[in-house]
Amino acid sequence: MNLITALARLLIFPGLLFAVPAAWFFLWVERKAVARMQGRIGPPFMQPFFDFIKLLGKSTPPRVGIGGLLMRAWPFIAVSAAAGAVGLLPVLPASGGFEGDLILLLALLELPSICIIAAGFSSGSIFGEIGSAREAVLSVSYNIVFLLAIVSIAASQHTFSLSALAHQSASPLRWLGVVAILVCLPAKLHLNPFSLPNAEQEIYSGPMTEYAGPELAMWELSHGLEWVAATGLVATLAAPMVATWWAAALIFVALCFAIVLLLSAVAAATARLQIDTTVRFYWQCTLIFAVLAVASALFMRFRA
Amino acid sequence: MNLWNKLMCYSRRHSPWLFHMNGGSCNGCDIELIASLTPRYDAEQLGVRLEGSPRHADILCITGPITTNAVGAIKTVYDQVCGPKAVIAIGSCPATTNVFIDSRTLAGPLDKHIPVDVFVPGCPPRPDAIILGVAKAAEILAERAGKKQPSALSSPVVMPLVGPGCGGACACGSATEAKTEEVAQ
């Protein structure tokens, strides 16, 4: 029974069968929201799906040797890591089995970003290398805040287990952590104030410059899955506790949708920052609050 | 298999990604191409995306009368676009070299160097005409998806001139047709 539930979670909800259409849907919502905010009508509903199918049907340039093999492998590793992260989310009320671990989820969420860095460097394109260097710098900046936020949430609730976190009532400190995660999400998803690695007017497409056809389709899919996983993480931490499974699923989807709208609105309303401004933003402005959150969480824990 | 082919045709028609290249243009057509993506014309409704890398693109948009310096770059970029691909010549310059004809710094017109699928005449063409040309090129791409062997180029399509008065993409009157034929030659 446990095996069946675990498989159902990984393959159906919130796993692959839900996550892939959700990824396309979120990509569409982002493009549509940005278009509406710019006074345009925007792409049709099925657009990310059409893009995906079209890219599958395109040819790829010949890739030779170990470098070529690696270039082909990165997008698939990124997709599987992001899909695994979505499958781990404790959306439905727990019924035994593997309960999900916050540290494993963080590792899986970080893997696509590492794949992007490696892909840019193995592509050999100068624009890819610049994009990868930017991605690395960005990752070092926001991850400190992201990890501290997660640590403060875990410390305030005395657990690293995802399903335990999702089913405890939220303390004020957890809300602080959720806000800190929200501040990191635009950088994690390469959205506009921090869209440095794929800055299209400066360095073409950054690490993706040399990718074409099915490999590019996999990158698009992994980006969409990252959207689902990242917004899903915030949604599970912020969602109220519900016993019935359909209400839990509904609240999860609605919260994800609201977060996507919020992030798209921020992306449409802002311009790209410089790399040093971004680093300063995370290391100087946000880090203080994250450290305060962790300190107060630990303090509360020792007092209790 | 047949269903997959149909889906592929449909997807190609609904998701043309462009790469824009300037072959010595005066910047007039470049501005009009960008204008077709702005809120007033909003080509993204057709799934159009302007891509930064030729590797991502389906349709290569070339402006300008093709200077001798640009020829090598244009051939390189044409080879970098992954198949199936289409080429749009935007403006009268790549079609005929326009007012720069007989200049010794030119190697145009464009179809001497790479196969062109759609000509969008005009100096500069209106954004409506460019969007119409992109839609036509996407149709050509979809047709190529249906065939097993991407056939040698059929004769290129010349889009009608779109006047400022007609507000939409339409061929208005015989004067336009005469002009179109003139550009085609």
Side-chain angles (χ1 to χ4, degrees), chain A residues 266-285:
Chain A
V266 170
T270 50
R272 188 180 306 130
L273 293 174
Q274 285 176 336
I275 186 81
D276 49 341
T277 324
T278 307
V279 172
R280 213 174 298 134
F281 172 77
Y282 279 117
W283 279 94
Q284 289 185 357
C285 311

Side-chain angles (χ1 to χ4, degrees), chain A residues 31 35 38-44 47 49-61 63 200 204-205 208-213 216 220, chain B residues 4 7-8 10-12 14-17 19 37-40 42 44-49 51-53 55-58 80-85:
Chain A
R31 280 174 75 176
Q38 290 174 346
R40 294 187 286 122
I41 291 174
Q47 189 59 49
F49 174 70
F50 291 147
D51 288 348
F52 185 81
I53 297 291
K54 177 209 71 176
L55 284 173
L56 284 187
K58 276 180 81 74
S59 64
T60 43
R63 308 207 191 286
E200 64 272 3
Y204 298 133
S205 306
M208 307 297 132
T209 304
E210 278 296 320
Y211 278 94
L216 189 63
E220 293 271 319
Chain B
W4 174 253
L7 183 64
M8 185 63 78
Y10 196 78
S11 301
R12 284 202 179 133
H14 286 81
S15 152
W17 291 4
F19 182 76
L37 299 168
T38 52
R40 190 175 179 89
D42 191 23
E44 204 185 7
Q45 288 174 55
L46 302 178
V48 171
R49 241 167 75 169
E51 281 295 321
S53 163
R55 289 273 192 232
H56 303 182
D58 306 298
Q80 279 174 344
V81 178
C82 293
K85 55 192 165 188

Side-chain angles (χ1 to χ4, degrees), chain A residues 4-127:
Chain A
I4 294 172
T5 13
L7 269 182
R9 281 195 184 174
L10 199 63
L11 296 179
I12 299 172
F13 186 88
L16 276 178
L17 200 66
F18 162 76
V20 172
W24 288 327
F25 176 65
F26 284 178
L27 288 176
W28 173 76
V29 169
E30 185 221 346
R31 280 174 75 176
K32 185 82 173 174
V34 170
R36 292 307 303 175
M37 282 193 72
Q38 290 174 346
R40 294 187 286 122
I41 291 174
F45 179 67
M46 299 284 275
Q47 189 59 49
F49 174 70
F50 291 147
D51 288 348
F52 185 81
I53 297 291
K54 177 209 71 176
L55 284 173
L56 284 187
K58 276 180 81 74
S59 64
T60 43
R63 308 207 191 286
V64 286
I66 283 290
L69 204 67
L70 279 176
M71 264 191 86
R72 284 188 191 282
W74 294 126
F76 290 96
I77 299 174
V79 166
S80 40
V86 176
L88 267 184
L89 293 175
V91 182
L92 304 180
S95 55
F98 184 60
E99 294 200 332
D101 184 63
L102 203 50
I103 297 175
L104 178 61
L105 180 70
L106 286 183
L108 287 176
L109 269 179
E110 195 48 34
L111 210 53
S113 157
I114 291 172
C115 286
I116 288 175
I117 297 172
F121 279 117
S122 58
S123 74
S125 147
I126 183 76
F127 304 107

Side-chain angles (χ1 to χ4, degrees), chain A residues 64-303:
Chain A
V64 286
I66 283 290
L69 204 67
L70 279 176
M71 264 191 86
R72 284 188 191 282
W74 294 126
F76 290 96
I77 299 174
V79 166
S80 40
V86 176
L88 267 184
L89 293 175
V91 182
L92 304 180
S95 55
F98 184 60
E99 294 200 332
D101 184 63
L102 203 50
I103 297 175
L104 178 61
L105 180 70
L106 286 183
L108 287 176
L109 269 179
E110 195 48 34
L111 210 53
S113 157
I114 291 172
C115 286
I116 288 175
I117 297 172
F121 279 117
S122 58
S123 74
S125 147
I126 183 76
F127 304 107
E129 285 172 17
I130 295 174
S132 288
R134 285 181 174 198
E135 168 76 27
V137 170
L138 198 63
S139 161
V140 167
S141 322
Y142 72 73
N143 262 330
I144 298 288
V145 181
F146 193 68
L147 293 179
L148 282 178
I150 297 281
V151 166
S152 79
I153 290 173
S156 69
Q157 312 258 310
H158 297 238
T159 178
F160 267 114
S161 155
L162 267 174
S163 58
L165 272 177
H167 298 114
Q168 278 176 4
S169 56
S171 64
L173 266 175
R174 189 201 277 196
W175 289 111
L176 205 61
V178 168
V179 171
I181 295 176
L182 270 182
V183 170
C184 295
L185 282 194
K188 204 164 187 58
L189 298 170
H190 309 150
L191 291 178
N192 214 352
F194 312 115
S195 63
L196 291 149
N198 52 357
E200 64 272 3
Q201 288 88 358
E202 302 165 19
I203 49 171
Y204 298 133
S205 306
M208 307 297 132
T209 304
E210 278 296 320
Y211 278 94
E215 297 159 6
L216 189 63
M218 287 300 138
W219 280 123
E220 293 271 319
L221 185 61
S222 102
H223 187 224
L225 288 173
E226 268 190 283
W227 264 100
V228 181
T231 53
L233 174 64
V234 179
T236 44
L237 289 176
M241 189 170 44
V242 196
T244 44
W245 65 270
W246 58 268
L250 212 64
I251 289 175
F252 172 78
V253 173
L255 267 174
C256 284
F257 186 69
I259 296 163
V260 173
L261 278 186
L262 175 75
L263 291 179
S264 312
V266 170
T270 50
R272 188 180 306 130
L273 293 174
Q274 285 176 336
I275 186 81
D276 49 341
T277 324
T278 307
V279 172
R280 213 174 298 134
F281 172 77
Y282 279 117
W283 279 94
Q284 289 185 357
C285 311
T286 327
L287 188 61
I288 299 168
F289 294 106
V291 169
L292 276 180
V294 172
S296 45
L298 289 176
F299 179 69
M300 299 252 291
R301 186 174 176 181
F302 281 121
R303 257 190 32 176

